[in-house]
Amino acid sequence: MNPPVRPKNWLVESILVTIFCCLPFGIAGIVNAANVNSRYDSGDFEGADKASKEAGKWTKIGFWIGLSLNLIGIIAYLLMIFVFVSAAAAGAASSY
Amino acid sequence: MLRPPVRPPPTEHLVKRLLPFLGAAGVLAWLVSIYLFDPEQGRHYLPCPFRWLTGWLCPGCGSQRAMHDLFHGRLCEALGHNAALVCCIPLLGAQWAVGRWRGLSLGTDNRVVYGWAIALVAWGIVRNLPGLEVLAR
């Protein structure tokens, strides 16, 4: 029987999440990437598949948390600019 | 062995199929915002949750400032904000290229995986040590 296809180990994605978003989730992804490799190489294909799903889960959690925190920050910043500009405009209008 | 692709039911997996597009759009918006706004100027970016909770720098702290400087061609300043990020980009590129050339991703070798894990954790520790503030401006 041929061995099944090597499951995706999410290594690069976990590294990017670690360096751009939040530490614990990315590291969890990298540890599971190591599990994918060792289980697949020892013939535990089912375990490798499980580790791959786990790695993907942590990488995605880190990605979405990091991205939403960033986007919330950007939206808050844009709102601040908007409020500031409209307040300045109101102030300029009232001084005439 | 060729099998026809299994098509998910149209509505059930709609959200799941949209997620990659949402993620890509979000990343694009994030990249554009980093290019436009200097994270060093305003305090508009939320602090890193790890730093906020513990007071320590995480391996990724400073990466937004580093990205902004990289986008504007200031390599030295980017290195000062987060040297690991600046080193990661060519390293990941090299890893990808070698993997393509070998026909098997280097990420399938656990020495590479542990190397990354140890390097990233070590970077996170080293940059918090007193006397090494130069690594975390």
Side-chain angles (χ1 to χ4, degrees), chain A residues 18-54:
Chain A
T18 311
I19 207 89
F20 281 111
C21 309
C22 4
L23 161 92
F25 302 120
I27 296 291
I30 297 179
V31 169
N32 276 300
N35 280 342
V36 174
N37 292 343
S38 47
R39 287 179 191 169
Y40 185 88
D41 292 336
S42 70
D44 177 9
F45 302 123
E46 205 177 308
D49 225 40
K50 225 181 238 170
S52 169
K53 289 209 175 71
E54 196 76 356

Side-chain angles (χ1 to χ4, degrees), chain A residues 12, chain B residues 91-108:
Chain A
V12 174
Chain B
L91 275 176
L92 281 175
Q95 180 180 317
W96 177 82
V98 172
R100 280 303 291 267
W101 177 68
R102 282 202 326 168
L104 179 66
S105 165
L106 278 185
T108 58

